Amino acid sequence: MILVVDDQESMCWVLSKVLSEVGFSVKTAGTAKEAFSIATNNEVTATVIDYRLPDKNGFDLFLELRKQNPKILGVLITSYGSKELKEKALRLGFHAYFDKPFQNQALIAALQAGLKSHRKLTPEIGESIP
Amino acid sequence: MNKHLYKVILDVLPHAILVLDEGLRVVMCNQGCEDLLLKSVEEITGRKLSEVIPHKDLQNQARVVLQNREAGTKLIELHLDREKDSSKILKATITALHLEDMGTSLCLITLEDITQQVQLEEQLVQSEKLAGMGLLARSIAHEVGNPLSIMASTLQYIQSSLLDGSNQNLREAIETIMDNIHQMHTLLRSLSDFTGSKRPQFESCNLQRILSQLLTFVSKEAEIHNVSIHREFDEGIPNCQVDHREIKQLFLNLFKNAIEAMPQGGKLGVKMHLVRKDSPRNKDRVLMEISDTGIGISETDIPYIFRPFYSTKHKGAGLGLSFCRRVAEEHGGEISVKSQMRRGTTFIVTLPLRQG
């Protein structure tokens, strides 16, 4: 499941449509608090987080989510982009970073590629390893 | 002996001191006059004030204090054009000395060189204006850019949902809207670049010096509002790579907010500490705490105070703290806040210690 966290309701709406279309199951949250309560069930494999959230910044939320689920994949989206922010995001372990506006296809591709390599690195029990 | 001692004391004072008789002729002056007026004590003594400092207002005020015992002390600011050197901005304090036993009055003029201070104030006002414009442009770019981004993603979604072979006109219509959204984004970006909201220009700066200068700058305002300033700086904090214009503005905003938050007076605390690397995430950094003992910020306002156009002040545009956050982040740092109603507020700014 992908968790989309953005305080702009319409951004959540459209990303949920876009990602469901390609087969992901999606949940959305408008605040870090809401995101955290959704993520407790551990079904969340990846999260798309807007950097600016009303109650926390995207970095802190991601680090907290990762404490709970170390395998979670993170993608940061932001309107306040800068080279420094991008470097910091990648250093903190985000898989990808996008300045708004971005190509939906690029976001989908980043999530698919990230989850694929994640699966390779952390095979589920019973999965055959070639 | 006493006379000699007085002269020595007068000469070591950092200000220029002139004593005039009732005819505005210099009867004595100190060493400070030589440095400021570029003339020797001998050349100045015995001359008329108008020959030494050709400034009408200064002469008028000297006359006023000599003639009118109720006039008290006068303060004026004057520009001094010097022959061999650049001009100076001086603060003149003019007082009458009524010597009853000698049946005469003298006029004491103290001149203080405030050129640097005035220049610093002008720089700050200028950078405040520039930063304000840049911030406004950037905030507009963000506030308009956000819905545009949503529109772009939504249109892409509609486009991908159209079945192959569906109405070609509809596809073209979507592409036209997409092109226009793209154009508006480019326009917004150039608007924010044009108004000087560029990437920070990093250079090696002494943060202690910057903060001390700013505290001197706000000390007058603090005094008026009955606010005392308490500073606590760690010794030996190395120079740090920052954009000094933006960093000055960041702290000036925080200092001004703190003073405004204490209409009944209070304490403005400024701390600066060096925090050494304690985890892979947290490298060496400089931590600065700006605290006040003012009205505090309500719990419901706290999540929104760093947003552009959000203000709890009657006159505020809601851009100050949003600027602070942008600057801190562009420097790879952070800003956070702790507050308690009627107890006060503390802003914590952390900047990575980038040297070189």
Side-chain angles (χ1 to χ4, degrees), chain A residues 7-8 10-11 13-14 17-18 21 51-52 54 60 63 79-81 84 88 92 100-104, chain B residues 138 142 146 149-150 152-154 156-157 161 185 199 202 281 303-304 307-308 325 329-330 332 334:
Chain A
D7 62 337
Q8 302 278 324
S10 354
M11 196 64 179
W13 176 81
V14 68
K17 290 282 173 200
V18 166
E21 195 96 321
Y51 179 67
R52 288 269 155 94
D60 290 341
L63 291 175
S79 311
Y80 278 91
E84 287 74 23
K88 195 168 178 186
L92 285 185
K100 288 181 184 175
F102 48 80
Q103 291 292 324
N104 296 346
Chain B
R138 197 145 168 153
H142 180 251
N146 238 344
S149 304
I150 295 169
S153 281
T154 312
Q156 289 176 54
Y157 167 64
S161 311
H185 257 293
R199 296 268 165 259
F202 292 107
R281 188 189 164 210
Y304 305 103
R307 280 195 174 182
R325 180 163 76 171
E329 284 171 2
E330 278 181 347
E334 279 170 14

Side-chain angles (χ1 to χ4, degrees), chain A residues 41-112:
Chain A
N41 63 17
N42 254 344
E43 281 169 26
V44 179
T45 49
T47 174
V48 178
I49 304 177
D50 181 45
Y51 179 67
R52 288 269 155 94
L53 297 170
D55 50 347
K56 229 178 208 88
N57 73 44
F59 289 161
D60 290 341
L61 172 63
F62 179 59
L63 291 175
E64 274 186 37
L65 290 177
R66 213 169 44 177
K67 251 188 232 166
Q68 199 171 270
N69 172 10
K71 292 179 194 168
I72 198 165
L73 185 90
V75 173
L76 191 78
I77 55 175
T78 179
S79 311
Y80 278 91
S82 71
K83 205 174 125 226
E84 287 74 23
L85 197 73
K86 183 178 180 176
E87 281 171 4
K88 195 168 178 186
L90 299 179
R91 206 170 52 237
L92 285 185
F94 275 94
H95 169 70
Y97 166 99
F98 290 102
D99 274 322
K100 288 181 184 175
F102 48 80
Q103 291 292 324
N104 296 346
Q105 273 309 320
L107 176 71
I108 294 169
L111 283 168
Q112 284 171 338

Side-chain angles (χ1 to χ4, degrees), chain B residues 50-63:
Chain B
S50 56
E51 293 166 7
V52 181
I53 307 169
H55 194 278
K56 279 214 170 128
D57 199 22
L58 183 65
Q59 290 154 51
N60 291 341
Q61 295 302 336
R63 259 185 224 114

